[in-house]
Amino acid sequence: VQLQASGGGLVQAGGSLRLSCVASGSIFSINHMAWYRQALGKKRELVAGIKSGGSPNYGDSVKGRFTISRDNAKNAVYLQMNSLKPEDTAVYYCNVLTTTPSGTIRDSWGQGTQVTVSS
């Protein structure tokens, strides 16, 4: 499974960005899609996740500001980020849990996209 993420960049505090991630390859179904982030010198943390047909969940620091969504027809997951703060600066990674046609569960990660929020 390959993941292609896009949409990162530089934005001023209070601004918005939208990240996209598209999965391709040997996919029978997508069980869970999520965004994580890792700031310099810090551990990777969950930003938001969404199960197939389930409600989304968010990290405490982004609740009310970020929205995760998915398009099952496109095997895509999106992260709309509003009211961005300098502390949101990090490399953002998409993560997808898939089932292959043979029944294998795969945990895949995108290459990461940099989000920088200036004050």
Side-chain angles (χ1 to χ4, degrees):
V1 177
Q2 295 79 42
L3 300 180
Q4 182 65 48
S6 61
L10 173 64
V11 65
Q12 287 188 333
S16 299
L17 283 174
R18 185 176 187 248
L19 304 183
S20 301
C21 179
V22 178
S24 61
S26 183
I27 299 172
F28 176 73
S29 64
I30 298 180
N31 309 318
H32 187 259
M33 308 183 88
W35 288 96
Y36 287 76
R37 69 186 181 186
Q38 187 167 16
L40 197 62
K42 295 187 177 181
K43 294 181 179 179
R44 190 172 296 188
E45 64 175 355
L46 174 69
V47 177
I50 184 167
K51 295 182 179 179
S52 177
S55 299
N57 61 289
Y58 298 94
D60 288 342
S61 62
V62 306
K63 285 179 181 177
R65 300 187 298 121
F66 291 9
T67 302
I68 189 171
S69 61
R70 58 188 286 173
D71 184 334
N72 293 328
K74 297 180 179 178
N75 289 340
V77 61
Y78 308 98
L79 185 69
Q80 178 65 43
M81 304 184 293
N82 298 328
S83 301
L84 282 161
K85 304 175 181 180
E87 50 263 44
D88 293 317
T89 295
V91 178
Y92 285 69
Y93 298 90
C94 64
N95 171 256
V96 174
L97 196 64
T98 60
T99 301
T100 69
S102 64
T104 303
I105 305 295
R106 288 189 176 172
D107 188 12
S108 304
W109 291 87
Q111 80 279 14
T113 183
Q114 177 71 46
V115 171
T116 303
V117 185
S118 62
S119 57

